[in-house]
Amino acid sequence: MPGAAPSLTLTSHRPRLPVVVGIAVGSIAAVTLLIYPLREVAPTASLAIVYLLAVLVVATLGGRTLGISTAVAAALAFNFFHVEPTGTFTIADGENWVALAVFVVTAIAIGTLADVARSRTLDAEQRRREADLAADLSRLLLGATDVEAALPAAATQLASAIGVPSATLVLHAAQGDAHHVAFALDVGPERRPATLLLPQRTDPGAPERIRARLVPGLEAILRAALDRQALEREVVETRALRRSDELKTAILRAVSHDLRSPLTSIITSADALASPAVLDDERDELVAAIGADARRLTRLVDQLLDLSRLQAGAAEPRPDWVSIPELLTVALQSIDARDGEFRLSADAETPLVQADAGQLERAFANLLENARQHSGGHEVSLRARAVGSRLVVRIVDRGPGIPAPELERIFEAFYRRENSGSGGAGLGLAVARGFIEANGGRVFAESLPGQGTAFVVELPLEAAP
């Protein structure tokens, strides 16, 4: 909407009075001169109609009063210069009296009609600009994700439309002062009133026109925008609650199954130990089974606790200088790795990294446990070496591999591949990624179906003391 457009709050904008008077005088003089050659081809009494052009122009530009004044002046000019006897305002012939009277009445009627047509045109143009302004504000406010953030742009657009230097829109009650007029905006019964602040104007009727023509539409747009924003927030909250319920259901399903299996085994083994008929060899097997299931439960509980800390943002690392080969060795011990299951190799001068040793040890233990479960009984290779500004650890198994669409999903909490053959809860990889990323690194999987999987961990290197 161009800034040079007439003010939205003004009912009409006419040229200045001296300009219109000059146009009236000039047009009457021009028509008076034009009638002289026309008298050779038409009766003088009928040529008065040419003055109607001047009356029409002046009435359109200056309004009804100036149009009537021009009509009277044109009648006097026609009488003085073209009605016998010329040079005086005396009229000798009765027909000329009638013609002049008809001309005056016609000129006044045309001036009045021109003024009415102009007023209606201006009113239609004003309403069109009001509709354009409402459409622009609707697009701006109704399309904004944050209504309050869009208010400065809406105020700028509004100020340009109504022809004031500036405007301010705020979503709270505000008072006017010596330089600003405040217009309270009703944006709903359950909300505080918004406020439109405009500069003081010299026109005393401007505030009332703004209140009558502009404020109601602005109130409706703001009310609709705020209602839409509230509905969007409710939808987002509803979706979050639904997803939270789905996540809780998934957790309960996964955890209940993974907790029940080792608990059932422990209870069964404990009941069997109480029997006097159990032999020593069987007793040793039952004790070993109880120990294995208890460790399995411990790992699951630890993973649940780790995941909850990560999701709550409470897993703040405590970095220190650590050796990754040593951490890998500790992680292998924590999962009771046996000979032939893993092969670790590292450069002789593997640099230290700044990280939380406990978090990385848990992350590597989860990655190693996952690789052992899917290696198909083959040896898993571990390799740690510095590559540029990063320390790269590759954990490679010789299992069935992972399809490309699932390479990212396997890091989601509680995600378990179909027919994977593992009995885990789907937490290990999610916890591993959370701890590694918390320490400034990243982890991803590379795999080709049937050719095994490589889990790659990259950690940033810093100059060690």
Side-chain angles (χ1 to χ4, degrees):
M1 193 170 299
S7 173
L8 177 71
T9 60
L10 297 182
T11 56
S12 63
H13 269 266
R14 296 186 174 95
R16 288 182 298 177
L17 182 61
V19 175
V20 181
V21 171
I23 292 173
V25 172
S27 60
I28 290 174
V31 172
T32 301
L33 294 174
L34 179 63
I35 289 178
Y36 281 107
L38 293 178
R39 290 167 58 177
E40 303 296 329
V41 295
T44 301
S46 64
L47 293 176
I49 195 173
V50 182
Y51 283 101
L52 294 179
L53 295 174
V55 175
L56 183 61
V57 170
V58 174
T60 302
L61 293 176
R64 179 168 50 189
T65 301
L66 285 175
I68 293 173
S69 300
T70 303
V72 174
L76 294 174
F78 182 69
N79 181 16
F80 188 84
F81 290 102
H82 297 293
V83 175
E84 295 295 337
T86 59
T88 68
F89 292 104
T90 305
I91 300 176
D93 193 346
E95 289 185 3
N96 290 333
W97 276 109
V98 174
L100 195 59
V102 171
F103 165 75
V104 172
V105 172
T106 304
I108 292 174
I110 288 178
T112 303
L113 291 175
D115 183 65
V116 171
R118 179 182 183 277
S119 297
R120 290 184 177 179
T121 301
L122 288 175
D123 187 65
E125 175 64 17
Q126 176 180 325
R127 293 186 183 277
R128 182 191 66 78
R129 287 186 283 106
E130 287 177 357
D132 289 344
L133 176 61
D136 292 341
L137 292 178
S138 297
R139 278 193 298 270
L140 184 61
L141 295 176
L142 293 176
T145 55
D146 186 350
V147 175
E148 190 165 4
L151 290 181
T156 301
Q157 198 165 36
L158 191 149
S160 174
I162 65 177
V164 295
S166 64
T168 304
L169 271 172
V170 292
L171 293 180
H172 56 78
Q175 300 295 326
D177 53 31
H179 303 288
H180 295 88
V181 180
F183 299 89
L185 305 176
D186 181 9
V187 291
E190 298 179 357
R191 300 187 182 101
R192 293 179 301 171
T195 307
L196 168 65
L197 293 170
L198 294 176
Q200 291 278 8
R201 303 186 57 144
T202 56
D203 182 0
E208 289 305 318
R209 287 195 293 272
I210 292 173
R211 190 171 284 109
R213 303 288 297 259
L214 183 64
V215 167
L218 185 58
E219 286 177 337
I221 293 171
L222 274 175
R223 191 179 300 118
L226 292 171
D227 288 343
R228 180 199 56 77
Q229 181 174 273
L231 286 174
E232 281 189 352
R233 289 176 178 172
E234 290 179 4
V235 169
V236 171
E237 290 175 359
T238 302
R239 288 176 180 171
L241 289 173
R242 186 182 298 115
R243 179 158 181 78
S244 176
D245 289 339
E246 293 173 355
L247 182 60
K248 290 177 182 177
T249 302
I251 292 174
L252 289 174
R253 287 176 179 172
V255 173
S256 62
H257 175 270
D258 290 298
L259 286 175
R260 187 181 294 113
S261 297
L263 282 174
T264 302
S265 177
I266 290 173
I267 292 172
T268 303
S269 299
D271 290 341
L273 283 174
S275 174
V278 177
L279 301 177
D280 291 340
D281 293 341
E282 294 174 339
R283 190 180 303 276
D284 293 339
E285 292 179 2
L286 291 172
V287 170
I290 291 174
D293 287 327
R295 286 189 292 274
R296 179 179 168 188
L297 280 175
T298 301
R299 282 197 299 273
L300 178 58
V301 172
D302 287 341
Q303 288 175 346
L304 284 171
L305 292 174
D306 290 339
L307 182 65
S308 66
R309 289 169 55 210
L310 286 168
Q311 291 182 338
E316 189 69 25
R318 298 179 180 178
D320 197 358
W321 294 107
V322 297
S323 168
I324 294 302
E326 292 181 5
L327 278 184
L328 291 172
T329 302
V330 174
L332 289 171
Q333 294 172 354
S334 69
I335 64 171
D336 297 326
R338 294 186 288 272
D339 292 340
E341 288 185 330
F342 296 92
R343 179 169 53 88
L344 172 62
S345 62
D347 295 341
E349 297 297 331
T350 303
L352 303 178
V353 298
Q354 273 269 34
D356 187 311
Q359 291 183 355
L360 285 189
E361 185 271 325
R362 285 184 180 275
F364 284 127
N366 289 335
L367 291 172
L368 295 173
E369 182 65 35
N370 178 82
R372 178 168 62 180
Q373 290 178 358
H374 298 90
S375 66
H378 299 287
E379 185 180 61
V380 177
S381 69
L382 311 177
R383 177 65 189 265
R385 61 178 181 143
V387 179
S389 61
R390 300 167 299 162
L391 183 68
V392 180
V393 179
R394 294 180 65 87
I395 303 172
V396 183
D397 64 53
R398 296 166 58 188
I402 302 171
E406 297 187 49
L407 288 176
E408 218 20 66
R409 294 201 63 193
I410 58 175
F411 290 99
E412 296 177 4
F414 302 103
Y415 176 75
R416 289 186 285 194
R417 295 179 54 217
E418 295 183 4
N419 304 321
S420 63
S422 66
L427 296 174
L429 295 181
V431 171
R433 168 168 279 187
F435 279 146
I436 291 170
E437 290 182 349
N439 285 273
R442 72 183 189 116
V443 58
F444 56 92
E446 299 173 344
S447 180
L448 291 174
Q451 300 184 29
T453 302
F455 285 92
V456 184
V457 178
E458 296 180 351
L459 296 167
L461 288 176
E462 299 179 19

